[in-house]
């Protein structure tokens, strides 16, 4: 049945009070703390309807009510207002991130900042090579028969590999190889480069084909086909801040899930552009996380998404505040990557 405006206001008040106090909410407290303009008896009747519809529940006899996963979902979808960050909060984010010296520093500052601002577990995926474009290739001679290949992605991520050549090579030939590779690959997404790398050998002058073959093999094996993804994590201790009803009394399943990088990549790495995803309790596919909620979004320079970030915590979390913070931090990190 559709809930009228008053019942929706009662649900909003229950969610906000429970998030703030960690205590089940009673009708008398709602009337005292919120301007509902009705009697406690009317609020009790509204709460009975909300309970019957599955939006709130009574954790034990003679207690107040707490929201269910369905209640939180309705709150997030219809009732919550995303809190705009204050100027002080925005300045704090900017100051914290602006001093980063390289990509690793950006990621580690970001994950610590998210954990501090939201008081939840924060997760940041390193920019994914599979989504990145090539900014520049550098070839650094180590000896006459060995080169270091350095690839710089548009995200600022740097990958380097040593290549053993089939024979000695001159400085002019290194310069020509560098030119050919950059001409062919700069600006291209890594996922689109395998046929271009393969064509490099055919298009090189006959004398350069042996070293280009060695180079292209390394490019394909270690850069283009590289599948490793990395995750940074912070704020795990925040899980212990909650009340007895959070996580149904046991943190073990949550902690075990957080140790699995594959799980975290699935939760935080598969986010579409310009979208904030909120998964609440039983909506999580991972069974060990069905007492938790996740707020995740993508980030990257401009409209390109190169990774995901977000927070994980109890279903009793400040959804409007966490959504606003995750979005704001993602936007700042995207701007940083665009400038780098």
């Amino acid at each position: 049945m559709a809930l009228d405006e008053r019942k929706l206001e009662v649900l909003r008040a229950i969610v906000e009070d429970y998030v703030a106090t960690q205590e089940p909410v009673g009708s008398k407290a709602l009337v005292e703390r919120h301007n509902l303009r009705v009697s406690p008896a009317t609020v009790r009747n509204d709460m009975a309807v909300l309970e019957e519809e599955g939006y709130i529940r009574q954790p034990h006899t003679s207690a107040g009510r707490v929201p269910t996963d369905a209640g939180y979902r309705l709150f997030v979808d219809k009732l919550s207002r995303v809190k705009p960050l204050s100027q002080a909060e925005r300045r704090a984010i900017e100051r914290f991130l602006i001093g980063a010296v390289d990509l690793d520093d950006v990621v580690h500052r970001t994950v610590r900042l998210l954990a501090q601002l939201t008081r939840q577990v924060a997760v940041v995926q390193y920019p994914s090579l599979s989504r990145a474009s090539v900014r520049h290739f550098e070839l650094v001679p180590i000896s006459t028969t060995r080169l270091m290949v350095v690839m710089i992605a548009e995200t600022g991520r740097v990958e380097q590999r040593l290549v053993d050549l089939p024979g000695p090579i001159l400085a002019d030939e290194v310069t020509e190889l560098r030119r050919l590779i950059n001409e062919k690959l700069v600006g291209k997404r890594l996922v689109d480069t395998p046929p271009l790398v393969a064509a490099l050998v055919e298009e090189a002058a006959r004398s350069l084909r042996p070293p280009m073959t060695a180079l292209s093999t390394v490019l394909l094996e270690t850069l283009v086909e590289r599948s490793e993804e990395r995750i940074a994590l912070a704020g795990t201790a925040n899980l212990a801040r909650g009340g007895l009803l959070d996580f149904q009394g046991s943190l073990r399943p949550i902690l075990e899930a957080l140790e699995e990088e594959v799980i975290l990549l699935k939760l935080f790495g598969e986010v579409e552009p310009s979208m904030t995803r909120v998964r609440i309790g039983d909506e999580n596919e991972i069974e060990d996380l069905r007492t938790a909620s996740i707020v995740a979004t993508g980030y990257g320079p401009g409209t390109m998404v190169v990774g995901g970030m977000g927070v994980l915590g109890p279903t009793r979390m400040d959804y409007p505040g966490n959504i606003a913070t995750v979005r704001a931090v993602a936007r700042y990190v995207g701007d940083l990557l665009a400038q780098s």
Side-chain angles (χ1 to χ4, degrees):
M1 99 184 200
L3 299 177
D4 60 39
E5 285 301 314
R6 194 184 65 226
K7 293 181 181 63
L8 290 173
E9 280 302 309
V10 170
L11 177 60
R12 186 208 304 275
I14 290 171
V15 172
E16 290 176 350
D17 276 15
Y18 183 55
V19 168
T21 67
Q22 303 182 25
E23 296 290 339
V25 184
S27 56
K28 186 180 176 189
L30 286 179
V31 172
E32 289 173 352
R33 284 198 284 256
H34 300 268
N35 187 25
L36 297 177
R37 299 190 186 89
V38 293
S39 68
T42 301
V43 172
R44 278 196 296 275
N45 288 336
D46 289 343
M47 290 172 75
V49 173
L50 290 169
E51 187 168 7
E52 188 178 331
E53 292 295 309
Y55 295 114
I56 60 175
R57 65 184 177 87
Q58 189 174 25
H60 41 78
T61 312
S62 75
R65 303 300 191 272
V66 301
T68 63
D69 290 353
Y72 285 123
R73 172 48 65 191
L74 186 59
F75 174 78
V76 169
D77 289 347
K78 284 193 170 183
L79 303 176
S80 62
R81 305 177 184 96
V82 174
K83 298 175 185 173
L85 297 188
S86 68
Q87 283 299 109
E89 287 171 320
R90 292 183 182 279
R91 280 196 300 272
I93 293 172
E94 193 170 3
R95 276 199 306 271
F96 196 79
L97 294 178
I98 206 72
V101 296
D102 57 22
L103 185 63
D104 274 338
D105 198 14
V106 169
V107 170
H108 284 111
R109 283 172 181 252
T110 301
V111 77
R112 291 203 314 275
L113 179 66
L114 271 179
Q116 289 169 15
L117 292 176
T118 64
R119 303 171 89 180
Q120 308 292 347
V121 180
V123 178
V124 176
Q125 177 192 17
Y126 276 77
S128 171
L129 270 182
S130 63
R131 304 182 193 183
S133 298
V134 177
R135 179 184 294 173
H136 182 68
F137 274 99
E138 189 56 63
L139 301 182
V140 182
I142 305 299
S143 71
T144 56
T145 58
R146 176 174 275 198
L147 294 176
M148 177 180 286
V149 181
V150 181
M151 187 211 70
I152 305 169
E154 287 291 352
T155 59
R157 185 161 171 177
V158 177
E159 294 287 333
Q160 52 190 41
R161 294 291 178 274
L162 290 174
V163 182
D164 289 312
L165 304 175
I169 191 169
L170 300 173
D172 288 350
E173 292 175 318
V174 174
T175 301
E176 178 63 8
L177 289 169
R178 183 189 299 117
R179 184 191 69 77
L180 289 169
I181 292 171
N182 278 291
E183 200 173 82
K184 195 78 169 174
L185 301 181
V186 166
K188 303 295 191 297
R189 290 195 316 151
L190 284 168
V191 292
D192 300 330
T193 54
L196 302 177
V197 172
L200 279 169
V201 178
E202 307 246 339
E203 294 173 11
R206 186 173 297 277
S207 62
L208 291 178
R209 286 183 185 175
M212 185 65 90
T213 299
L215 280 167
S216 64
T217 300
V218 168
L219 290 174
L220 285 169
E221 287 179 356
T222 64
L223 300 180
V224 177
E225 296 175 357
R226 185 177 169 84
S227 60
E228 178 194 345
E229 301 288 0
R230 294 162 63 200
I231 284 283
L233 191 71
T236 307
N238 287 331
L239 292 173
R241 303 174 66 94
L244 291 173
L245 293 177
D246 290 344
F247 310 117
Q248 297 176 5
S250 176
L251 284 176
R252 182 185 291 274
I254 308 287
L255 294 172
E256 288 176 350
L258 289 175
E259 289 180 359
E260 296 293 332
E261 205 158 88
V262 174
I263 289 177
L264 295 178
L265 283 167
K266 184 171 181 59
L267 294 173
F268 293 93
E270 299 175 0
V271 188
E272 295 301 315
S274 306
M275 183 187 85
T276 303
R277 185 174 61 203
V278 181
R279 284 182 175 163
I280 300 170
D282 282 338
E283 295 172 359
N284 287 304
E285 297 172 17
I286 312 300
E287 189 170 347
D288 286 347
L289 296 178
R290 287 184 180 159
T291 58
S293 284
I294 289 151
V295 177
T297 193
Y299 73 91
T303 57
M304 178 171 57
V305 172
V306 297
M309 69 169 68
V311 296
L312 177 149
T315 53
R316 182 195 56 79
M317 69 160 60
D318 175 11
Y319 291 98
N322 289 342
I323 290 169
T325 301
V326 168
R327 284 178 180 171
V329 172
R331 190 165 56 249
Y332 276 104
V333 174
D335 291 345
L336 269 182
L337 293 179
Q339 295 162 17
S340 64

